[in-house]
Amino acid sequence: MKETITIQDIFKTIKKRLSLIVILTIIALAISAIVSYVVLTPIYQSSTQILVSQEKTEVNSFSSQDIETNLQLINTYNVIIKSPAILSLVIDELELNTTAAALTNKITVSNAEDSQVVNITVQDPDPQKAVDIANKTAEVFQAQIKTLMQVNNVSVLTPAVLGDNPTPVKPDPMLNMAIAAVIGMMLGVGLAFLLEYLDTTVKTEEDIEELLQLPVLGLISNISEKDLQSTKLEVIDRRKRL
Amino acid sequence: MSNNKKKNKTLLTAARKLITTANSKAIVSEQFKTLRTNINFSMPDRETKTMLFTSASPSEGKSTVAANSAVVFAQEGKRVLLIDGDMRKPTVHYTFHLTNTSGLSNLLTGQAHLEGVIKHHEIENLDIVTCGPIPPNPAELLGSNRMEKIIGDLKEKYDMIIFDAPPVLSVTDAQILSNLCDGTVIVLSAGKTQKDALLKAKEALIASKANILGVVLNNYVLQKDHYYYQYYGVEE
């Protein structure tokens, strides 16, 4: 027995189980909405920019080697900022109830497009705390770098500030709901096809002809009460008219 | 108790399903007329006088289809006899609102004559033989020589004899009857009949040398874009 599935079959299956697919999509949407808005704690983000300026040793001698050295230096700074040496001081000064390892995960250090500006980005459930940690880290780094690397070329470019109405960076309810809707819909379609595949009943003329090689003599629809009653009503109508 | 209630209810619904007399303009009535045409064409030599309606498993709509087919054949002008061959769960007398005091079982046991058990229906050309008192040995009665003789006698008097038979897979009666009849029609319910059950029923009927005319697909869900709707649109 050969099994061929046409596009019409696929549409028919989807149409038949449309309610199932829609319900699953809505359920997935609702769950993700609840999780995003109620369960997950919103995380706020705050960032400080620090500038690592060039030490002017020789004027007009910008070689590519110098730039490379600078970039290497910035990479070193990145590691230093996230090191426990700096972060434990931050924890001490802010009296945070956390460890340096945990704080490392909250901090992201990046330098914007090979520039000498370093971004320190902090994510925390408390927006004020995120600002404090970002500023304090920059401050401590600025102070510590002098003794660590004997340089004095770090200055804070933009300190982190707490906005009037801070918006959380994650969770993103819209994105979560969109993902959940797509997953719910795919699940529904998958389930619809599974049910269709598991259903071994005869449904169409094609089924019969394929299975039995017998002609279909007739198709009889379900006899509805409406069909049975309509003539009775007609008779009553006629009587009324008479 | 509840079982009894349920049975009564199903019998009542079966009794109400005589659509071809209730509403001859309904789509379903039209479908029965198409079925009649197709059966007529499937036996071009007009040799098929006795016909059997059966199904693989119970309650797929055999009795409803058999009764309505008998009505449409009678409407065509044929002299039709509908015999309730289901001597285990007879329903024909419910469908046509007849008494079941005497019928096929009396005839087969020799307690009655043909004239005594044939009941005339208000529809012209349609006669009915109900099941009669339910006998303990339906299969033996149906397989008896007397049955063959009765069918032979009836063929003289009628253009078409329609049997309403029990399901093939439940009891052997349908196999016996299908062997005696010129044609067998399998009724199946869309979305209910299992494919393997249908195959087994077909094999059983072939084993009893039945001449299977074809299949009637009952409870078929008519698509809104089906040609019936396009042509004889149902006013909503």
Side-chain angles (χ1 to χ4, degrees):
Chain A
M1 208 191 311
K2 66 167 195 251
E3 290 259 335
T4 46
I5 297 170
T6 62
I7 291 175
Q8 279 92 334
D9 288 340
I10 293 171
F11 277 126
K12 215 186 259 176
T13 309
I14 291 173
K15 209 171 146 193
K16 206 171 103 187
R17 312 266 182 195
L18 195 64
S19 53
L20 178 96
I21 295 167
V22 168
I23 287 169
L24 268 175
T25 310
I26 290 170
I27 288 173
L29 258 177
I31 289 173
S32 84
I34 289 168
V35 168
S36 308
Y37 281 111
V38 181
V39 180
L40 289 180
T41 37
I43 302 289
Y44 295 88
Q45 182 177 302
S46 187
S47 58
T48 301
Q49 286 182 321
I50 53 174
L51 180 69
V52 181
S53 58
Q54 182 78 29
E55 262 187 282
K56 280 172 188 167
T57 44
E58 278 174 50
V59 193
N60 297 333
S61 67
F62 261 159
S63 64
S64 64
Q65 209 184 342
D66 282 345
I67 295 171
E68 214 152 273
T69 318
N70 276 332
L71 288 177
Q72 274 175 5
L73 211 60
I74 286 166
N75 283 335
T76 316
Y77 291 161
N78 290 354
V79 178
I80 291 170
I81 291 169
K82 294 187 84 172
S83 72
I86 302 286
L87 293 182
S88 54
L89 282 171
V90 173
I91 291 168
D92 284 350
E93 285 192 34
L94 288 175
E95 290 166 358
L96 295 171
N97 184 24
T98 180
T99 61
L103 196 58
T104 310
N105 291 331
K106 289 182 181 175
I107 297 178
T108 325
V109 178
S110 60
N111 57 317
E113 286 175 20
D114 292 354
S115 69
Q116 293 170 4
V117 178
V118 177
N119 278 319
I120 302 175
T121 308
V122 181
Q123 294 190 338
D124 196 88
D126 183 354
Q128 183 57 56
K129 221 170 163 186
V131 170
D132 288 348
I133 293 170
N135 285 335
K136 187 59 77 180
T137 310
E139 205 177 286
V140 168
F141 174 68
Q142 200 181 2
Q144 289 296 308
I145 202 74
K146 286 173 197 162
T147 52
L148 285 171
M149 292 184 78
Q150 285 89 38
V151 285
N152 190 12
N153 57 350
V154 174
S155 54
V156 176
L157 188 67
T158 329
V161 280
L162 181 64
D164 294 335
N165 192 15
T167 47
V169 285
K170 64 181 181 185
D172 186 347
M174 282 301 151
L175 183 73
N176 286 0
M177 279 157 74
I179 293 168
V182 170
I183 291 172
M185 207 169 75
M186 278 161 63
L187 212 70
V189 171
L191 202 64
F193 279 100
L194 186 73
L195 287 174
E196 189 70 16
Y197 184 74
L198 291 178
D199 188 355
T200 56
T201 58
V202 180
K203 276 179 289 295
T204 59
E205 300 157 77
E206 291 81 32
D207 287 347
I208 298 165
E209 267 154 25
E210 189 185 304
L211 193 70
L212 297 180
Q213 284 92 44
L214 288 174
V216 177
L217 294 174
L219 303 170
I220 309 294
S221 299
N222 213 347
I223 301 170
S224 64
E225 295 296 316
K226 204 184 86 195
D227 285 342
L228 288 169
Q229 275 162 6
S230 60
T231 34
K232 279 182 205 159
L233 291 174
E234 263 174 44
V235 171
I236 293 165
D237 276 356
R238 243 175 271 155
R239 274 182 199 153
K240 270 183 192 163
R241 259 177 260 148
L242 289 171
Chain B
M1 186 66 193
S2 64
N3 194 18
N4 204 4
K5 227 180 194 174
K6 198 182 162 194
K7 195 180 164 189
N8 271 341
K9 204 183 166 193
T10 48
L11 289 178
L12 273 176
T13 21
R16 274 188 270 120
K17 297 284 185 182
L18 204 58
I19 182 77
T20 41
T21 53
N23 185 355
S24 59
K25 278 182 196 159
I27 285 175
V28 188
S29 303
E30 213 54 56
Q31 290 172 333
F32 273 110
K33 282 168 197 169
T34 310
L35 171 63
R36 174 182 71 192
T37 311
N38 286 340
I39 289 173
N40 280 338
F41 280 128
S42 71
M43 40 174 207
D45 47 358
R46 304 276 156 187
E47 280 300 297
T48 313
K49 277 192 141 188
T50 51
M51 203 167 56
L52 176 80
F53 283 91
T54 187
S55 66
S57 18
S59 55
E60 294 190 39
K62 296 174 296 298
S63 302
T64 310
V65 174
N68 283 298
S69 306
V71 171
V72 288
F73 275 114
Q75 283 170 347
E76 197 186 31
K78 280 191 172 133
R79 287 167 298 158
V80 180
L81 178 67
L82 176 67
I83 302 178
D84 196 346
D86 190 345
M87 292 203 273
R88 297 170 198 259
K89 279 184 186 169
T91 53
V92 170
H93 55 285
Y94 291 106
T95 312
F96 291 93
H97 305 290
L98 297 167
T99 53
N100 192 25
T101 45
S102 66
L104 186 64
S105 58
N106 304 86
L107 206 60
L108 291 174
T109 49
Q111 294 166 339
H113 291 285
L114 262 180
E115 290 73 27
V117 294
I118 292 175
K119 298 175 176 81
H120 300 281
H121 191 257
E122 56 188 33
I123 299 164
E124 213 182 334
N125 298 324
L126 179 62
D127 288 350
I128 294 155
V129 174
T130 58
C131 153
I134 294 173
N137 53 347
E140 286 77 9
L141 286 179
L142 290 174
S144 64
N145 289 334
R146 192 183 280 269
M147 183 72 193
E148 253 176 275
K149 191 181 170 293
I150 290 167
I151 290 177
D153 289 349
L154 289 171
K155 273 186 180 175
E156 306 284 310
K157 298 171 81 174
Y158 291 95
D159 297 322
M160 175 144 278
I161 302 160
I162 293 172
F163 281 94
D164 177 12
V168 180
L169 296 183
S170 311
V171 288
T172 186
D173 301 14
Q175 278 179 280
I176 297 167
L177 273 174
S178 67
N179 181 256
L180 294 171
C181 290
D182 302 329
T184 301
V185 175
I186 303 172
V187 177
L188 57 91
S189 182
K192 187 165 176 280
T193 310
Q194 296 290 330
K195 283 179 181 169
D196 50 351
L198 195 58
L199 274 176
K200 269 185 205 160
K202 188 199 172 192
E203 278 162 23
L205 288 172
I206 287 173
S208 61
K209 295 192 174 61
N211 172 28
I212 305 172
L213 296 176
V215 179
V216 174
L217 191 56
N218 195 20
N219 292 328
Y220 183 75
V221 182
L222 215 55
Q223 299 293 321
K224 278 280 177 212
D225 53 359
H226 200 274
Y227 47 90
Y228 274 126
Y229 274 98
Q230 288 172 5
Y231 240 78
Y232 296 99
V234 209
E235 302 107 74
E236 295 286 343

